[in-house]
Amino acid sequence: MFLYLVPVKIVDDLLGVIVDIRGVKGLIVEEIAKSLNKSIKELSSIINHYLIKEIGERIEISSGFVDGSNVFDERRGSIIVLLSAYGLIVRGSNGNIRMHNVIGANGARKPIAIILFPRIYAETRIGILMRTLELLVARSIINQDVESVFLDGSYLSMLLAPSGAARQSYKLLIEDLPEQLVKEVEDIVSKRLRELYLKLDRIEYSNPYEGFMNIIDIMPEEYSSIINDLLSVLENKKPIEKVIDYSLLAIDENIGFYQLTKLLDESLRKNVRVYWIAKDTDSRFLARVNRLSTWITDVSLLDHLWANENIVALRVNDLVDLESISAWRTTRWMGQGSELVFEPLRALEFYSKWGKFDVWYFKLTRYGPVLQLTYPQRYGREAGIEALGVLRNLSDPKTGYPKPLILVHHATRLEERLAEGLGDTIWSRLENPLLKVLLARRARLRLL
């Protein structure tokens, strides 16, 4: 790791002004670039043996594309959240491609409004809800006679759930408790999560919007049940806020995890492949090849190496042994495992089937960025080739990004002011004094 304290002068040619930037640590300066040249050249020669430069277009297309968006506004004692997701199905062949949107996934035209209370771990919980909604849209698409579904993001990120916040909340809940009491806590949690999954099994998901709203409807009761059960066994041994923090995160995380398990199991039964595409990623798998300095991300490295390439792809698994993700980092069962967040039996089954993953990097136009493709490894190596063929057929010639994903991105994008406006509208209509306080604007916004 190189840390430099370097004054840098940037000349603004238009204004003729010299601006000093002082005290910048870790700045990528010429000295660092020189020190890395040898490692990068060595890595480049290794990568060249595995490059794929022949990517044929998939002529017949039958694929779905999904993206989501969220905005939120922090109020005095709660958070106003707006979520949206959009799904697009693309069918046909070159010169005759048809697109139609997924029913129940109307994007920014019909966002879903939620009041999040209490405010704890708000951004983490909003992210889980957003992911859940996107997975519901993908599940709907799988049942509409498609060959593949592409989502924005990373499959590895899905496998690395639950959040650090959820895992930490479990540690805080059980720390300093006697072993027998920890076991009682785990028995209660496992029982409650199994019952949650049974309730989720009874919900109809063909319409993503209605399915999501049905999930939202059962969440307050699930929160209450697990909190009350834990309080009854813990008595006064833990502050109530630690019980609440863990309970809320555990319910949220398992609702999202349930949808992921169902999506992938359904994909297998229907012979549909599910892929994730990331525009930006901090992954550093390639640094393992020759112990290259680990602060260089894969995409920045490949942007450099592939600067003059038009069409190129690389399967990372051909160079690096990517270990499967273990269920034991997400759950506990019979004295084994780490933090109990995911329901044990479901987690063990899921990660044994889906814990291995494939990672590809690709570029489909000279001036476009390097993108990342990830998916479950059990689909096979050829699944990556097939996905790249679909993406090449549908890519934008300027950006190299799939046009359907551009469309769904813009169709689902929400403006931040919408959440603020909704919060003000709800607040103005409330009569209950307590609710009015909880939904009031933050003091600094009212005072400054």
Side-chain angles (χ1 to χ4, degrees):
M1 171 63 72
F2 298 82
L3 293 178
Y4 285 81
L5 189 63
V6 184
V8 179
K9 291 186 176 181
I10 299 175
V11 180
D12 187 328
D13 292 329
L14 294 176
L15 299 177
V17 176
I18 297 179
V19 180
D20 281 343
I21 302 176
R22 301 181 185 276
V24 179
K25 290 187 178 181
L27 196 64
I28 301 179
V29 293
E30 188 175 349
E31 289 87 347
I32 298 177
K34 287 180 180 178
S35 70
L36 291 172
N37 273 345
K38 181 179 178 181
S39 294
I40 291 175
K41 286 180 180 178
E42 290 175 359
L43 180 58
S44 177
S45 64
I46 296 171
I47 288 176
N48 285 338
H49 289 293
Y50 297 94
L51 286 187
I52 298 172
K53 294 191 177 183
E54 296 293 330
I55 301 175
E57 291 189 35
R58 183 70 180 269
I59 304 302
E60 292 292 331
I61 304 291
S62 181
S63 301
F65 295 83
V66 181
D67 199 3
S69 175
N70 72 81
V71 293
F72 60 91
D73 183 49
E74 295 185 49
R75 313 300 286 189
R76 187 72 161 165
S78 62
I79 295 183
I80 302 293
V81 183
L82 286 174
L83 306 172
S84 78
Y86 194 80
L88 195 65
I89 297 176
V90 180
R91 302 188 195 277
S93 56
N94 282 343
N96 186 29
I97 287 181
R98 307 175 306 282
M99 300 185 185
H100 64 273
N101 66 305
V102 177
I103 296 173
N106 298 311
R109 291 179 299 172
K110 190 179 180 181
I112 297 172
I114 299 171
I115 298 176
L116 202 63
F117 172 81
R119 284 174 41 164
I120 59 151
Y121 299 117
E123 291 195 40
T124 295
R125 297 176 64 205
I126 292 168
I128 297 168
L129 291 171
M130 183 72 263
R131 183 169 73 241
T132 300
L133 181 57
E134 291 173 338
L135 293 171
L136 281 169
V137 177
R139 285 186 66 187
S140 174
I141 292 174
I142 276 182
N143 292 300
Q144 298 187 50
D145 192 28
V146 298
E147 295 178 345
S148 55
V149 179
F150 295 85
L151 296 97
D152 182 61
S154 164
Y155 177 56
L156 180 56
S157 295
M158 296 285 174
L159 292 178
L160 292 177
S163 63
R167 299 173 67 190
Q168 179 65 18
S169 69
Y170 174 77
K171 291 179 181 177
L172 294 175
L173 180 69
I174 66 164
E175 67 178 352
D176 301 326
L177 292 179
E179 185 177 336
Q180 181 56 39
L181 193 51
V182 171
K183 185 178 184 306
E184 290 185 50
V185 167
E186 292 176 353
D187 288 345
I188 285 173
V189 171
S190 297
K191 178 176 179 291
R192 276 295 168 194
L193 294 179
R194 286 194 299 270
E195 292 175 355
L196 168 65
Y197 278 60
L198 291 175
K199 290 183 180 180
L200 293 172
D201 282 339
R202 293 194 287 269
I203 293 176
E204 170 58 47
Y205 296 106
S206 57
N207 183 303
Y209 175 86
E210 293 177 0
F212 187 79
M213 297 309 294
N214 288 332
I215 291 173
I216 296 298
D217 287 342
I218 70 170
M219 288 173 74
E221 181 181 349
E222 298 306 306
Y223 293 149
S224 178
S225 295
I226 193 171
I227 289 170
N228 290 335
D229 285 356
L230 287 173
L231 289 175
S232 68
V233 71
L234 289 171
E235 296 175 341
N236 296 320
K237 294 181 176 64
K238 283 291 172 179
I240 188 171
E241 63 266 23
K242 290 188 179 181
V243 176
I244 291 174
D245 290 358
Y246 169 73
S247 299
L248 298 184
L249 286 167
I251 294 298
D252 291 353
E253 291 279 11
N254 277 275
I255 286 173
F257 181 59
Y258 172 92
Q259 298 304 333
L260 178 62
T261 64
K262 289 297 182 181
L263 171 67
L264 294 182
D265 285 345
E266 289 167 8
S267 81
L268 205 59
R269 286 197 299 272
K270 295 181 178 293
N271 196 29
V272 178
R273 287 162 175 165
V274 184
Y275 303 95
W276 281 259
I277 298 177
K279 296 181 287 295
D280 295 294
T281 169
D282 291 329
S283 298
R284 292 168 291 177
F285 301 116
L286 297 177
R288 305 177 194 177
V289 175
N290 65 345
R291 303 186 67 81
L292 191 69
S293 182
T294 56
W295 56 261
I296 301 180
T297 62
D298 292 346
V299 289
S300 60
L301 177 66
L302 293 176
D303 274 336
H304 168 66
L305 294 180
W306 294 351
N308 296 316
E309 298 285 354
N310 290 311
I311 296 175
V312 65
L314 172 71
R315 180 178 179 260
V316 175
N317 304 63
D318 291 337
L319 286 82
V320 181
D321 182 20
L322 301 179
E323 295 182 2
S324 63
I325 307 301
S326 170
W328 294 119
R329 62 175 295 282
T330 73
T331 195
R332 282 183 58 79
W333 180 249
M334 304 292 286
Q336 287 185 275
S338 184
E339 294 82 33
L340 175 54
V341 181
F342 288 158
E343 194 280 317
L345 297 181
R346 301 262 185 160
L348 291 170
E349 178 185 8
F350 175 83
Y351 281 93
S352 67
K353 290 170 62 176
W354 301 103
K356 292 182 179 292
F357 58 97
D358 260 25
V359 179
W360 291 70
Y361 292 107
F362 67 97
K363 181 179 176 183
L364 298 177
T365 185
R366 181 171 182 177
Y367 298 108
V370 173
L371 304 173
Q372 185 192 71
L373 175 76
T374 51
Y375 60 89
Q377 192 176 96
R378 69 179 302 155
Y379 291 158
R381 188 181 190 281
E382 287 305 307
I385 300 294
E386 292 179 12
L388 293 174
V390 172
L391 297 175
R392 184 181 176 191
N393 183 301
L394 299 173
S395 68
D396 179 80
K398 292 183 179 180
T399 65
Y401 196 64
K403 286 183 280 189
L405 278 178
I406 295 174
L407 293 173
V408 294
H409 169 78
H410 288 292
T412 193
R413 188 176 179 181
L414 295 167
E415 298 292 336
E416 289 189 16
R417 58 185 176 80
L418 291 176
E420 181 181 344
L422 177 62
D424 289 343
T425 300
I426 295 173
W427 176 84
S428 67
R429 296 178 180 178
L430 288 172
E431 296 182 0
N432 184 297
L434 176 58
L435 294 179
K436 209 165 181 70
V437 169
L438 292 175
L439 284 159
R441 283 193 175 192
R442 289 168 294 168
R444 63 177 174 268
L445 294 179
R446 301 203 304 266
L447 297 173
L448 300 178

PDB file of all heavy atoms in Angstrom, residues 306-311 363-369 397-398:
ATOM      1  N   TRP A 306      -7.683  -3.230 -21.551  1.00  0.00           N
ATOM      2  CA  TRP A 306      -8.530  -3.416 -22.724  1.00  0.00           C
ATOM      3  C   TRP A 306      -8.904  -2.097 -23.395  1.00  0.00           C
ATOM      4  O   TRP A 306      -9.891  -2.015 -24.118  1.00  0.00           O
ATOM      5  CB  TRP A 306      -9.818  -4.142 -22.324  1.00  0.00           C
ATOM      6  CG  TRP A 306      -9.611  -5.555 -21.859  1.00  0.00           C
ATOM      7  CD1 TRP A 306      -8.467  -6.291 -21.914  1.00  0.00           C
ATOM      8  CD2 TRP A 306     -10.588  -6.407 -21.255  1.00  0.00           C
ATOM      9  NE1 TRP A 306      -8.664  -7.547 -21.391  1.00  0.00           N
ATOM     10  CE2 TRP A 306      -9.969  -7.644 -20.977  1.00  0.00           C
ATOM     11  CE3 TRP A 306     -11.946  -6.246 -20.925  1.00  0.00           C
ATOM     12  CZ2 TRP A 306     -10.642  -8.709 -20.380  1.00  0.00           C
ATOM     13  CZ3 TRP A 306     -12.617  -7.305 -20.321  1.00  0.00           C
ATOM     14  CH2 TRP A 306     -11.969  -8.529 -20.052  1.00  0.00           C
ATOM     15  N   ALA A 307      -8.105  -1.074 -23.187  1.00  0.00           N
ATOM     16  CA  ALA A 307      -8.447   0.256 -23.699  1.00  0.00           C
ATOM     17  C   ALA A 307      -8.675   0.261 -25.212  1.00  0.00           C
ATOM     18  O   ALA A 307      -9.511   1.012 -25.722  1.00  0.00           O
ATOM     19  CB  ALA A 307      -7.352   1.249 -23.332  1.00  0.00           C
ATOM     20  N   ASN A 308      -7.958  -0.588 -25.951  1.00  0.00           N
ATOM     21  CA  ASN A 308      -8.074  -0.599 -27.409  1.00  0.00           C
ATOM     22  C   ASN A 308      -8.882  -1.774 -27.943  1.00  0.00           C
ATOM     23  O   ASN A 308      -8.903  -2.015 -29.157  1.00  0.00           O
ATOM     24  CB  ASN A 308      -6.672  -0.611 -28.040  1.00  0.00           C
ATOM     25  CG  ASN A 308      -5.882   0.645 -27.723  1.00  0.00           C
ATOM     26  OD1 ASN A 308      -6.429   1.746 -27.789  1.00  0.00           O
ATOM     27  ND2 ASN A 308      -4.616   0.480 -27.353  1.00  0.00           N
ATOM     28  N   GLU A 309      -9.519  -2.511 -27.057  1.00  0.00           N
ATOM     29  CA  GLU A 309     -10.316  -3.665 -27.466  1.00  0.00           C
ATOM     30  C   GLU A 309     -11.742  -3.237 -27.810  1.00  0.00           C
ATOM     31  O   GLU A 309     -12.306  -2.339 -27.177  1.00  0.00           O
ATOM     32  CB  GLU A 309     -10.359  -4.713 -26.356  1.00  0.00           C
ATOM     33  CG  GLU A 309      -9.005  -5.298 -25.982  1.00  0.00           C
ATOM     34  CD  GLU A 309      -8.498  -6.286 -27.017  1.00  0.00           C
ATOM     35  OE1 GLU A 309      -9.242  -6.596 -27.971  1.00  0.00           O
ATOM     36  OE2 GLU A 309      -7.350  -6.760 -26.870  1.00  0.00           O
ATOM     37  N   ASN A 310     -12.318  -3.912 -28.780  1.00  0.00           N
ATOM     38  CA  ASN A 310     -13.724  -3.660 -29.133  1.00  0.00           C
ATOM     39  C   ASN A 310     -14.654  -4.653 -28.445  1.00  0.00           C
ATOM     40  O   ASN A 310     -15.600  -4.266 -27.766  1.00  0.00           O
ATOM     41  CB  ASN A 310     -13.907  -3.749 -30.650  1.00  0.00           C
ATOM     42  CG  ASN A 310     -13.264  -2.592 -31.373  1.00  0.00           C
ATOM     43  OD1 ASN A 310     -13.465  -1.432 -31.010  1.00  0.00           O
ATOM     44  ND2 ASN A 310     -12.465  -2.887 -32.385  1.00  0.00           N
ATOM     45  N   ILE A 311     -14.396  -5.941 -28.655  1.00  0.00           N
ATOM     46  CA  ILE A 311     -15.214  -6.988 -28.058  1.00  0.00           C
ATOM     47  C   ILE A 311     -14.273  -7.980 -27.386  1.00  0.00           C
ATOM     48  O   ILE A 311     -13.393  -8.567 -28.033  1.00  0.00           O
ATOM     49  CB  ILE A 311     -16.073  -7.706 -29.112  1.00  0.00           C
ATOM     50  CG1 ILE A 311     -17.070  -6.722 -29.738  1.00  0.00           C
ATOM     51  CG2 ILE A 311     -16.805  -8.892 -28.486  1.00  0.00           C
ATOM     52  CD1 ILE A 311     -17.872  -7.323 -30.871  1.00  0.00           C
ATOM     53  N   LYS A 363     -16.511  -6.552 -22.410  1.00  0.00           N
ATOM     54  CA  LYS A 363     -16.591  -5.226 -23.022  1.00  0.00           C
ATOM     55  C   LYS A 363     -17.104  -5.428 -24.436  1.00  0.00           C
ATOM     56  O   LYS A 363     -16.588  -6.273 -25.179  1.00  0.00           O
ATOM     57  CB  LYS A 363     -15.205  -4.587 -23.022  1.00  0.00           C
ATOM     58  CG  LYS A 363     -15.125  -3.187 -23.601  1.00  0.00           C
ATOM     59  CD  LYS A 363     -13.682  -2.688 -23.516  1.00  0.00           C
ATOM     60  CE  LYS A 363     -13.537  -1.328 -24.170  1.00  0.00           C
ATOM     61  NZ  LYS A 363     -12.128  -0.862 -24.157  1.00  0.00           N
ATOM     62  N   LEU A 364     -18.127  -4.667 -24.817  1.00  0.00           N
ATOM     63  CA  LEU A 364     -18.780  -4.898 -26.105  1.00  0.00           C
ATOM     64  C   LEU A 364     -18.633  -3.740 -27.084  1.00  0.00           C
ATOM     65  O   LEU A 364     -19.173  -3.797 -28.184  1.00  0.00           O
ATOM     66  CB  LEU A 364     -20.271  -5.204 -25.876  1.00  0.00           C
ATOM     67  CG  LEU A 364     -20.551  -6.465 -25.051  1.00  0.00           C
ATOM     68  CD1 LEU A 364     -22.035  -6.629 -24.827  1.00  0.00           C
ATOM     69  CD2 LEU A 364     -19.969  -7.704 -25.721  1.00  0.00           C
ATOM     70  N   THR A 365     -17.927  -2.708 -26.688  1.00  0.00           N
ATOM     71  CA  THR A 365     -17.631  -1.604 -27.602  1.00  0.00           C
ATOM     72  C   THR A 365     -16.361  -0.924 -27.122  1.00  0.00           C
ATOM     73  O   THR A 365     -16.060  -0.918 -25.924  1.00  0.00           O
ATOM     74  CB  THR A 365     -18.792  -0.595 -27.663  1.00  0.00           C
ATOM     75  OG1 THR A 365     -18.509   0.398 -28.649  1.00  0.00           O
ATOM     76  CG2 THR A 365     -19.017   0.093 -26.328  1.00  0.00           C
ATOM     77  N   ARG A 366     -15.600  -0.380 -28.057  1.00  0.00           N
ATOM     78  CA  ARG A 366     -14.265   0.113 -27.720  1.00  0.00           C
ATOM     79  C   ARG A 366     -14.268   1.166 -26.620  1.00  0.00           C
ATOM     80  O   ARG A 366     -13.425   1.142 -25.722  1.00  0.00           O
ATOM     81  CB  ARG A 366     -13.596   0.669 -28.978  1.00  0.00           C
ATOM     82  CG  ARG A 366     -12.187   1.186 -28.709  1.00  0.00           C
ATOM     83  CD  ARG A 366     -11.451   1.538 -29.974  1.00  0.00           C
ATOM     84  NE  ARG A 366     -10.085   1.982 -29.686  1.00  0.00           N
ATOM     85  CZ  ARG A 366      -9.201   2.306 -30.611  1.00  0.00           C
ATOM     86  NH1 ARG A 366      -9.527   2.244 -31.892  1.00  0.00           N
ATOM     87  NH2 ARG A 366      -7.987   2.694 -30.273  1.00  0.00           N
ATOM     88  N   TYR A 367     -15.199   2.103 -26.688  1.00  0.00           N
ATOM     89  CA  TYR A 367     -15.150   3.221 -25.756  1.00  0.00           C
ATOM     90  C   TYR A 367     -16.080   3.021 -24.542  1.00  0.00           C
ATOM     91  O   TYR A 367     -16.242   3.927 -23.731  1.00  0.00           O
ATOM     92  CB  TYR A 367     -15.487   4.525 -26.493  1.00  0.00           C
ATOM     93  CG  TYR A 367     -14.487   4.834 -27.578  1.00  0.00           C
ATOM     94  CD1 TYR A 367     -14.831   4.705 -28.926  1.00  0.00           C
ATOM     95  CD2 TYR A 367     -13.179   5.196 -27.247  1.00  0.00           C
ATOM     96  CE1 TYR A 367     -13.894   4.953 -29.920  1.00  0.00           C
ATOM     97  CE2 TYR A 367     -12.242   5.452 -28.241  1.00  0.00           C
ATOM     98  CZ  TYR A 367     -12.610   5.339 -29.572  1.00  0.00           C
ATOM     99  OH  TYR A 367     -11.673   5.577 -30.561  1.00  0.00           O
ATOM    100  N   GLY A 368     -16.638   1.838 -24.432  1.00  0.00           N
ATOM    101  CA  GLY A 368     -17.481   1.551 -23.280  1.00  0.00           C
ATOM    102  C   GLY A 368     -16.665   1.001 -22.117  1.00  0.00           C
ATOM    103  O   GLY A 368     -15.518   0.583 -22.277  1.00  0.00           O
ATOM    104  N   PRO A 369     -17.241   0.978 -20.915  1.00  0.00           N
ATOM    105  CA  PRO A 369     -16.523   0.452 -19.754  1.00  0.00           C
ATOM    106  C   PRO A 369     -16.560  -1.070 -19.708  1.00  0.00           C
ATOM    107  O   PRO A 369     -17.373  -1.711 -20.385  1.00  0.00           O
ATOM    108  CB  PRO A 369     -17.318   1.045 -18.580  1.00  0.00           C
ATOM    109  CG  PRO A 369     -18.720   1.116 -19.111  1.00  0.00           C
ATOM    110  CD  PRO A 369     -18.581   1.480 -20.570  1.00  0.00           C
ATOM    111  N   PRO A 397     -24.562   0.534 -29.201  1.00  0.00           N
ATOM    112  CA  PRO A 397     -23.273   0.624 -29.888  1.00  0.00           C
ATOM    113  C   PRO A 397     -22.323   1.658 -29.296  1.00  0.00           C
ATOM    114  O   PRO A 397     -21.109   1.543 -29.456  1.00  0.00           O
ATOM    115  CB  PRO A 397     -23.662   0.987 -31.332  1.00  0.00           C
ATOM    116  CG  PRO A 397     -25.038   1.557 -31.241  1.00  0.00           C
ATOM    117  CD  PRO A 397     -25.692   0.875 -30.096  1.00  0.00           C
ATOM    118  N   LYS A 398     -22.848   2.665 -28.605  1.00  0.00           N
ATOM    119  CA  LYS A 398     -21.981   3.691 -28.030  1.00  0.00           C
ATOM    120  C   LYS A 398     -21.476   3.297 -26.652  1.00  0.00           C
ATOM    121  O   LYS A 398     -20.285   3.393 -26.359  1.00  0.00           O
ATOM    122  CB  LYS A 398     -22.726   5.033 -27.955  1.00  0.00           C
ATOM    123  CG  LYS A 398     -23.015   5.659 -29.314  1.00  0.00           C
ATOM    124  CD  LYS A 398     -23.680   7.009 -29.150  1.00  0.00           C
ATOM    125  CE  LYS A 398     -23.956   7.661 -30.510  1.00  0.00           C
ATOM    126  NZ  LYS A 398     -24.618   8.988 -30.357  1.00  0.00           N
TER     127      LYS A 398
END
